[in-house]
Amino acid sequence: MMESDIKIGSGTTATPTQELIQLQDIIATEKSKHRETVEMLEKKNNRIKELEPRVKSAAEAINSLKDIIKKKDDEIKTQEEKYKRFLGKAKQVIKAIDPKGSQSPSPDTAALRKQLAEKERALMRMEEEAERLKTAREREERMVLSAWYEMGMHVHKKGSRRDSNLR
């Protein structure tokens, strides 16, 4: 508190005892404010001390995540470089195989494509035949199962008739 805030003896008709009492009241208020401020600072310091470990662990976690990201970035760059090298080698191989870059198929290529088409048609026919055989097998299994069930029912009926005749 500043001296200008304390108005003692300047233009008032207070006695020295009253002035002393006023000063003591002002001192008591200031001490109370000071205690409150000290308590508030202590609470804030305690809160800061509580939060420091969390902040440190969060900072460590962030640093470890940054390290992980850096490693992943390095791995990605390495993979990209490998990819580019492999792509360059593939282009060289393609140029070596077909130096002219012509689109006209050679007789060997045409023959291979024709063979491939024939084999694909044969494969399709075989797949269709396999599907027909599968359907037929399933139908036969159902028929056998049905006949077996009917035979079992027939034998059961015979047995129950025989049992009823014996009684």
Side-chain angles (χ1 to χ4, degrees), residues 38-167:
V38 168
E39 289 174 3
M40 184 178 65
L41 285 173
E42 286 176 356
K43 286 180 184 177
K44 293 198 183 236
N45 282 338
N46 289 338
R47 181 70 177 148
I48 288 171
K49 287 178 184 176
E50 290 174 7
L51 293 176
E52 279 180 344
R54 290 175 60 190
V55 169
K56 285 180 183 177
S57 66
E60 290 171 359
I62 289 171
N63 288 335
S64 68
L65 290 174
K66 284 181 181 178
D67 291 342
I68 291 171
I69 290 172
K70 187 179 184 306
K71 288 178 185 176
K72 290 294 181 182
D73 285 343
D74 292 343
E75 288 176 12
I76 290 172
K77 287 178 183 175
T78 304
Q79 291 297 328
E80 285 178 354
E81 289 172 5
K82 283 183 183 178
Y83 170 74
K84 288 178 182 177
R85 283 195 316 264
F86 290 145
L87 185 62
K89 288 179 183 178
K91 286 179 181 179
Q92 288 175 353
V93 169
I94 290 171
K95 286 180 182 177
I97 291 174
D98 192 16
K100 296 177 185 175
S102 64
Q103 296 296 330
S104 61
S106 66
D108 294 337
T109 307
L112 289 174
R113 286 182 193 219
K114 185 176 179 181
Q115 274 184 335
L116 180 63
E118 288 174 8
K119 290 189 180 198
E120 285 178 350
R121 283 192 296 271
L123 182 62
M124 291 294 283
R125 284 192 303 269
M126 287 179 189
E127 287 175 349
E128 290 170 358
E129 182 65 23
E131 188 62 33
R132 282 196 301 269
L133 291 174
K134 178 181 173 187
T135 306
R137 182 179 46 83
E138 289 174 352
R139 191 173 36 240
E140 287 175 4
E141 286 177 358
R142 286 192 300 268
M143 290 172 62
V144 167
L145 186 61
S146 176
W148 183 259
Y149 177 76
E150 287 178 18
M151 185 182 81
M153 291 301 291
H154 182 66
V155 168
H156 179 69
K157 284 180 184 178
K158 270 187 177 179
S160 62
R161 283 186 205 153
R162 194 177 334 145
D163 289 341
S164 65
N165 288 339
L166 291 175
R167 291 185 189 170

